[in-house]
């Protein structure tokens, strides 16, 4: 049941970072509700399409916040398994290793453990989402000209958290019975970035087989 993805009722509400809320009564909140309703129909291809007459930047913004919240929750469930000892490097399988740099505080990429990397990453995303000049929540405030490139960087980095969970922590995900939840969330994410061409194919390589498997049923 896809709608349970969004209800905190049955799921452990332990998120890794505080949840990012979209203000009720705002147009973005209406868009989020629209997204949830379409997701409820179970057709993910339809659910990611830009609704008629809507602004692409705003649609990407709302969904980016939503994916941040979903990944925040998914990673929150497995933080006990992702430790300095278990994951001394941030990897997605033996061939892919990520080093952290944000371009401002840390300019030269540093090698760090997965929990440290994901903490840096999620804090960085949070800072972007909280920046009113990048993600304006007030009606009529325009998105900046570089919004799409910012959103692409955020989504590219959020993908790495999915990749790390799938490659290094899939066993606990199964034990916690979060597998369907993770797959649905990731599939939604992939359909979204494919629809608007937001992540370079090379970046998706660590999960290419899974992506093909999850998306082939819906062509």
């Amino acid at each position: 049941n896809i709608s349970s993805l969004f209800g905190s009722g049955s799921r452990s509400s332990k998120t890794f970072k505080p949840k990012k809320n979209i203000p009720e009564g705002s147009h973005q909140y209406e868009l989020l509700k629209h997204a949830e309703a379409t997701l409820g129909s179970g057709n993910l291809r339809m659910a990611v399409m830009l609704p008629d007459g809507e602004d692409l930047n705003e649609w990407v913004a709302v969904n980016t916040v939503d994916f941040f919240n979903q990944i925040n929750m998914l990673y929150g469930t497995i933080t006990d398994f992702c430790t300095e000892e278990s994951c001394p490097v941030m990897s997605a399988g033996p061939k892919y290793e990520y080093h952290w740099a944000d371009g401002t505080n840390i300019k030269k990429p540093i090698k760090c453990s997965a929990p440290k990397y994901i903490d840096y990453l999620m804090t960085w995303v949070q800072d972007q989402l909280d920046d009113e000049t990048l993600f304006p929540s007030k009606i009529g405030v325009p998105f900046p000209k570089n919004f799409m490139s910012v959103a692409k960087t955020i989504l590219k980095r959020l993908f790495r958290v999915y990749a790390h969970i799938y490659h290094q922590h899939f066993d606990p995900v199964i034990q916690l019975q979060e597998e369907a939840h993770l797959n649905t969330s990731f599939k939604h994410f992939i359909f979204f970035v494919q629809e608007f061409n937001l992540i370079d194919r090379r970046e998706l390589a660590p999960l290419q087989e899974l992506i093909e498997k999850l998306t082939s049923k819906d062509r």
Side-chain angles (χ1 to χ4, degrees):
N1 172 3
I2 289 181
S3 61
S4 69
L5 259 175
F6 298 95
S8 52
S10 58
R11 305 219 163 267
S12 87
S13 54
K14 179 188 170 193
T15 59
F16 177 54
K17 297 274 171 199
K19 188 172 185 291
K20 171 77 181 159
N21 287 316
I22 289 176
E24 270 189 59
S26 68
H27 182 60
Q28 294 186 8
Y29 189 78
E30 297 305 312
L31 275 180
L32 182 66
K33 289 280 157 258
H34 169 87
E36 289 178 14
T38 347
L39 276 173
S41 73
N43 184 337
L44 288 170
R45 282 255 183 251
M46 289 286 295
V48 297
M49 288 175 183
L50 180 65
D52 283 349
E54 293 297 344
D55 176 52
L56 180 60
N57 284 343
E58 199 156 31
W59 183 238
V60 170
V62 165
N63 282 279
T64 300
V65 169
D66 192 38
F67 289 126
F68 168 78
N69 286 332
Q70 289 186 38
I71 292 165
N72 202 358
M73 194 157 69
L74 287 161
Y75 185 68
T77 61
I78 57 121
T79 45
D80 296 349
F81 305 95
C82 186
T83 62
E84 299 284 328
E85 295 72 43
S86 71
C87 305
V89 295
M90 173 64 179
S91 63
K95 291 206 298 256
Y96 301 96
E97 187 178 306
Y98 300 111
H99 298 176
W100 178 255
D102 58 15
T104 42
N105 302 325
I106 299 172
K107 292 194 164 71
K108 194 170 176 287
I110 55 169
K111 193 170 178 163
C112 55
S113 68
K116 191 111 188 79
Y117 184 102
I118 292 171
D119 191 29
Y120 278 133
L121 186 156
M122 295 298 272
T123 303
W124 176 84
V125 172
Q126 218 173 7
D127 291 343
Q128 310 297 304
L129 300 181
D130 287 339
D131 183 341
E132 280 288 328
T133 63
L134 286 176
F135 280 77
S137 61
K138 295 179 182 64
I139 304 270
V141 177
F143 283 84
K145 295 212 175 7
N146 65 334
F147 174 74
M148 269 309 168
S149 68
V150 172
K152 285 178 176 178
T153 306
I154 292 173
L155 293 164
K156 174 180 83 176
R157 289 179 172 171
L158 288 175
F159 168 81
R160 295 171 182 177
V161 185
Y162 281 119
H164 181 71
I165 294 173
Y166 272 112
H167 277 284
Q168 313 302 135
H169 302 295
F170 200 58
D171 287 346
V173 167
I174 292 171
Q175 283 157 17
L176 293 162
Q177 297 181 310
E178 287 280 337
E179 185 186 354
H181 183 200
L182 174 64
N183 285 345
T184 305
S185 174
F186 181 61
K187 189 172 171 180
H188 180 201
F189 178 88
I190 287 302
F191 279 177
F192 190 81
V193 300
Q194 284 178 344
E195 174 74 14
F196 303 106
N197 205 6
L198 297 168
I199 301 183
D200 195 307
R201 269 183 74 88
R202 283 177 315 221
E203 284 286 337
L204 300 174
L207 293 178
Q208 197 49 51
E209 282 174 42
L210 176 68
I211 291 169
E212 280 164 20
K213 200 174 107 189
L214 288 174
T215 56
S216 63
K217 298 190 194 72
D218 291 79
R219 284 235 162 79

